[in-house]
């Protein structure tokens, strides 16, 4: 069997997304690949699991980390049916994926009722202009968890 192409992995992500709609889920699917090997798959489970973070990409990242027994996915590529929203893009960055490849874009998602452009635009505005209040209440020992972290010689480098 020859090498799997980007189009093949993307087609798998799109098929997962389409199948998820038929099962009552959101129209998003993702796969994570290391080399030519499928590591994990994910479908949007937001409404099924009542979990606003259960986006297909996040589900796939969680499964890949479990499968590979690591929180770092260096050497892996995320193929996703749609351009990642800010949550999923942040998760991909935290997971240290090498690459993200997507099929549909944010305009396709907006046409389908999943318009995340407001989130992209939100990050460009000062927090004082956000609809959700984000406040820093500084406690005297606010940095104590970080001090404990730095003092813990057995910590796992992050």
């Amino acid at each position: 069997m020859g090498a799997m192409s980007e189009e093949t992995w993307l087609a798998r992500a799109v098929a997962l997304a389409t199948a998820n709609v038929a099962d009552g889920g959101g129209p998003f699917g993702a796969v994570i690949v290391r080399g030519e090997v499928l590591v994990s798959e994910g479908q949007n489970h937001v409404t099924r699991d009542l979990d606003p973070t259960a986006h297909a990409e996040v589900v796939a990242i969680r499964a890949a980390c479990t499968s590979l027994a690591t929180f770092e996915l260096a050497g892996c590529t995320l193929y996703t049916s749609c351009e990642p929203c800010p949550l999923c893009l942040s998760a991909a960055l935290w997971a240290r994926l090498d690459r993200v490849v997507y099929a549909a874009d944010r305009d396709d998602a907006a046409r389908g009722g999943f318009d995340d452009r407001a989130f992209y635009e939100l990050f460009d505005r000062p927090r004082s202009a956000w609809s959700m209040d984000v406040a820093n209440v500084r406690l005297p020992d606010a940095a104590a968890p970080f001090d404990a972290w730095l003092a813990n010689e057995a910590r796992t480098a992050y």
Side-chain angles (χ1 to χ4, degrees), residues 9 12 31-34 36-41:
W9 293 120
R12 187 166 183 145
V31 298
I32 294 181
V33 176
R34 176 182 273 171
E36 294 296 318
V37 178
L38 176 67
V39 176
S40 69
E41 296 179 335

Side-chain angles (χ1 to χ4, degrees), residues 5 15 21 33 64 74 76 104 107 119-120 137 145:
S5 70
V21 171
V33 176
C76 295
D107 295 320
F119 294 119
Y120 286 103
V137 178

Side-chain angles (χ1 to χ4, degrees), residues 46-143:
V46 170
T47 56
R48 185 196 83 182
D49 295 351
L50 305 177
D51 178 355
T53 68
H55 292 202
E57 297 89 341
V58 174
V59 170
I61 288 168
R62 290 173 180 160
C65 289
T66 298
S67 174
L68 298 174
T70 183
F71 59 87
E72 293 183 300
L73 297 177
C76 295
T77 299
L78 168 66
Y79 293 94
T80 181
S81 63
C82 188
E83 182 176 2
C85 72
L87 169 74
C88 296
L89 193 55
S90 295
L93 289 165
W94 276 111
R96 297 168 177 90
L97 286 154
D98 283 3
R99 195 159 178 249
V100 175
V101 182
Y102 60 90
D105 64 20
R106 65 181 76 177
D107 295 320
D108 296 312
R111 187 178 59 77
F114 298 88
D115 192 353
D116 56 11
R117 289 179 288 204
F119 294 119
Y120 286 103
E121 294 167 3
L122 177 70
F123 296 127
D124 286 335
R125 296 194 309 256
R127 285 189 181 171
S128 60
W130 290 17
S131 61
M132 178 183 70
D133 185 40
V134 177
N136 178 223
V137 178
R138 189 74 185 182
L139 299 175
D141 62 346

